[in-house]
Amino acid sequence: MSEFNSLSGNRGLQIEEKLIFEMGNEGCIGVDLPEPTPFDLERLGDAPVRAKVGLPDLSEPQVVRHYTRLSQKNYGIDTGFYPLGSCTMKHNPRLSEKVARLPGLADLHPLQPQKTVQGALEVIDTLAHWLKELTGMPAVAMSPAAGAHGEWCGLMAIRAAHEDKGEGHRRRILVPESAHGTNPASAAMCGYSVDSIPAKENGRVDLEALKAKLGPDVAALMLTNPNTCGLFESEIVEIAAAVHGAGAYFYCDGANFNAIVGRVKIADLGIDTMHINLHKTFSTPHGGGGPGAGPTVLSAALAPYAPVPYVVHGAKGLEMVEGKREGAKPFGRVKGFHGQFGVFVRALAYILSMGSDGLRQASSDAVLNANYLQARLGDVLSASFEGPCMHEALFDDRFLKDTGVTTLDFAKALIDEGYHPMTMYFPLVVHGALLMEPTETESKETLDQFIEVVRGLAARAKAGAAEEFKASPRLTPRRRLDETMAARVPVLRWKPAVE
Ligand SMILES: *Cc1c(COP(=O)(O)O)cnc(C)c1O
């Protein structure tokens, strides 16, 4: 393909955008300000003298264009298909967004007197009710601000429970090899050591290996279900029994709850605590760093240790409990104020608008869509495990053997085709992973188009087009970036060019 270079550096209507500090003319300003009253520099003495702050010198239209163009460089779930696995990039119904923007909810201040925010407390309390209902669990800590934060909260409750029983010596946490990186990180942050347990050929936890690792120093097992290979842990009830038999607790990573909402009450599986990524299961735009929310449900054994604050029905209406109460032994507080309120509003709007039938339908459709991808791609890609999957389809790079094309090259080629790539190289238990999660709202038409592109790329790779793959992405404003350098030596501060 011969390269066409435009005179301007722009590509069609795609503008080659400078940094805002590199634009503008000295002295240009977007607003009219009155002349400042002069003051006596002498009087300042040795006090610091104002330095030039170095704000960009731009007019209002220049600023508007810059930020509008930047916003157009974003790729999001509202722009196109986003098959990122393990992230559940869900469509966010506009209804949830509209409700979250209602002034009576959006304009609250967390320090307002409680009697003026009874409606907001009711939102938190009602959402808590439905989260307990959907999981079958008796208690929920609403304040954790993300999935990882919920993991930490659940483990802190486990630690408090063990210490209360005089079993504070339990310091080991078992985590399967396929776990999300936040699991061992949360355990380490709670002061635990992490011991990994292997998976079986079929991608599930090896029950016998788990039993062999259990002992009097084990505090908990952290298990994701459905797991990060997109598989339901079929022996989960036996796993729970073994963990409890050894005096430990069972933490479930609930990031993949979207696959089982309305179908399984996790209390029936013997789980003691699980975080729910509201931003993955109950709408809320995520990606790019939040905000999210990770309410963490707790079994009867762990409920007394739930962190403050929480909402109770008091004599004068709903009350936010901030301190110690009769019968409760909160391990502390995990967040300023009471959690991510805007995310709560979206989640409640989503749950109530879907209803129990809608929630059940959504999880069923999410699983159906993933199985459709797996079935239609299974003959050209290499599925990592036999049998149907849950909400995400996992492939590895065996289909690229001897082609000279890697999973990374394949992902870059997808960008040229207008697709955000699937998750790559995670989970670590299979080689060169390609993890695809379509979610429930994608139409068959969208999936068919994506399938045709993936099939076409696989055929191209097998036909010996490695050079082409290595050169991709070719149609993006920037070509292939040095991602290792970007991660290891990030350049986070702009410096003016030396004149
Ligand atoms: C997303 C995810 C997490 C972490 O959730 P955050 O909200 O990003 O902190 C943990 N485990 C799994 C399996 C996940 O997919």
Side-chain angles (χ1 to χ4, degrees):
M1 189 170 54
S2 69
E3 286 280 343
F4 167 77
N5 291 317
S6 65
L7 298 172
S8 59
N10 301 331
R11 294 168 76 88
L13 299 181
Q14 188 153 238
I15 307 298
E16 175 62 28
E17 196 70 28
K18 288 182 180 172
L19 296 178
I20 197 159
F21 294 101
E22 296 166 340
M23 302 198 267
N25 292 313
E26 179 131 13
C28 179
I29 187 167
V31 287
D32 281 333
L33 293 174
E35 275 297 308
T37 33
F39 59 87
D40 186 3
L41 267 181
E42 301 262 301
R43 268 182 45 216
L44 278 175
D46 288 337
V49 177
R50 277 187 202 184
K52 205 170 175 312
V53 274
L55 293 176
D57 301 301
L58 298 162
S59 69
E60 182 176 301
Q62 286 175 305
V63 173
V64 169
R65 280 189 186 153
H66 175 71
Y67 285 106
T68 305
R69 293 196 295 237
L70 285 189
S71 76
Q72 290 166 341
K73 291 193 194 300
N74 271 343
Y75 187 90
I77 195 73
D78 291 342
T79 330
F81 184 49
Y82 209 125
L84 210 56
S86 198
C87 294
T88 312
M89 301 302 293
K90 260 178 111 80
H91 168 67
N92 303 287
R94 288 304 172 267
L95 179 66
S96 311
E97 292 301 313
K98 194 172 172 183
V99 175
R101 282 167 179 72
L102 292 176
L105 297 170
D107 296 345
L108 296 176
H109 192 280
L111 291 177
Q112 261 176 257
Q114 295 201 10
K115 66 176 185 327
T116 69
V117 290
Q118 287 290 301
L121 295 184
E122 196 174 336
V123 165
I124 299 176
D125 190 53
T126 312
L127 177 60
H129 166 76
W130 287 117
L131 296 180
K132 288 185 280 182
E133 187 65 32
L134 286 165
T135 54
M137 302 288 269
V140 58
M142 294 298 286
S143 53
H149 201 194
E151 292 168 22
W152 180 75
C153 171
L155 291 177
M156 287 297 285
I158 287 173
R159 199 173 109 170
H162 280 312
E163 278 169 6
D164 205 21
K165 285 189 289 191
E167 302 211 7
H169 58 274
R170 290 178 177 267
R171 302 305 269 182
R172 190 155 55 96
I173 299 264
L174 304 181
V175 183
E177 281 173 342
S178 64
H180 193 269
T182 51
N183 290 192
S186 300
M189 273 192 67
C190 278
Y192 286 123
S193 67
V194 179
D195 197 355
S196 84
I197 38 175
K200 283 188 299 192
E201 281 286 286
N202 69 2
R204 275 100 176 162
V205 163
D206 186 333
L207 181 58
E208 292 315 311
L210 165 69
K211 282 183 180 163
K213 292 240 176 181
L214 283 168
D217 63 329
V218 170
L221 164 74
M222 289 185 93
L223 182 72
T224 310
N225 189 48
N227 69 26
T228 55
C229 300
L231 303 170
F232 194 89
E233 289 287 352
S234 37
E235 290 182 303
I236 193 161
V237 174
E238 292 78 6
I239 290 172
V243 169
H244 291 150
Y249 290 105
F250 183 3
Y251 186 93
C252 183
D253 178 330
N256 297 333
F257 196 40
N258 199 45
I260 56 174
V261 173
R263 301 212 144 244
V264 181
K265 286 207 173 188
I266 59 116
D268 296 340
L269 306 179
I271 287 160
D272 292 295
T273 170
M274 178 182 94
H275 74 263
I276 301 169
N277 300 61
L278 293 187
H279 48 294
K280 291 182 185 174
T281 307
F282 299 112
S283 84
T284 290
H286 85 296
T296 303
V297 291
L298 300 157
S299 63
L302 296 180
Y305 308 98
V308 290
Y310 47 83
V311 176
V312 295
H313 294 256
K316 285 180 270 159
L318 293 166
E319 277 171 44
M320 192 62 112
V321 176
E322 303 274 356
K324 245 180 141 119
R325 273 184 5 122
E326 182 75 21
K329 306 170 190 171
F331 72 75
R333 169 184 268 286
V334 303
K335 193 178 184 312
F337 302 120
H338 19 257
Q340 307 280 47
F341 187 68
V343 181
F344 295 164
V345 175
R346 288 175 177 85
L348 184 60
Y350 179 80
I351 289 174
L352 295 182
S353 60
M354 295 291 277
S356 62
D357 56 337
L359 291 174
R360 196 180 154 87
Q361 178 82 43
S363 53
S364 310
D365 288 351
V367 173
L368 180 65
N369 274 356
N371 278 284
Y372 184 65
L373 279 190
Q374 181 170 290
R376 293 261 345 256
L377 291 173
D379 59 331
V380 290
L381 306 188
S382 28
S384 297
F385 300 106
E386 264 181 41
C389 58
M390 292 295 289
H391 58 300
E392 51 194 358
L394 177 61
F395 303 95
D396 52 51
D397 63 2
R398 279 170 298 156
F399 78 103
L400 293 172
K401 193 169 183 296
D402 301 330
T403 61
V405 176
T406 64
T407 297
L408 181 72
D409 301 329
F410 202 83
K412 298 297 181 195
L414 267 172
I415 298 177
D416 277 336
E417 300 292 338
Y419 286 103
H420 189 289
M422 62 279 138
T423 292
M424 300 177 286
Y425 301 105
F426 177 82
L428 304 175
V429 287
V430 302
H431 197 268
L434 299 87
L435 182 63
M436 302 177 184
E437 179 177 0
T439 78
E440 64 279 1
T441 44
E442 296 302 341
S443 64
K444 180 164 177 296
E445 195 187 359
T446 301
L447 296 183
D448 284 337
Q449 285 165 354
F450 177 70
I451 287 163
E452 284 319 310
V453 167
V454 173
R455 293 185 72 87
L457 288 178
R460 224 183 254 178
K462 286 171 192 170
E467 288 305 310
E468 265 179 58
F469 277 89
K470 296 277 174 222
S472 56
R474 289 173 291 183
L475 304 176
T476 46
R478 291 290 177 279
R479 305 289 294 274
R480 198 169 301 199
L481 305 174
D482 187 337
E483 287 163 9
T484 311
M485 279 292 278
R488 302 275 172 217
V489 196
V491 180
L492 302 175
R493 179 167 296 171
W494 176 81
K495 289 200 199 93
V498 195
E499 278 159 27

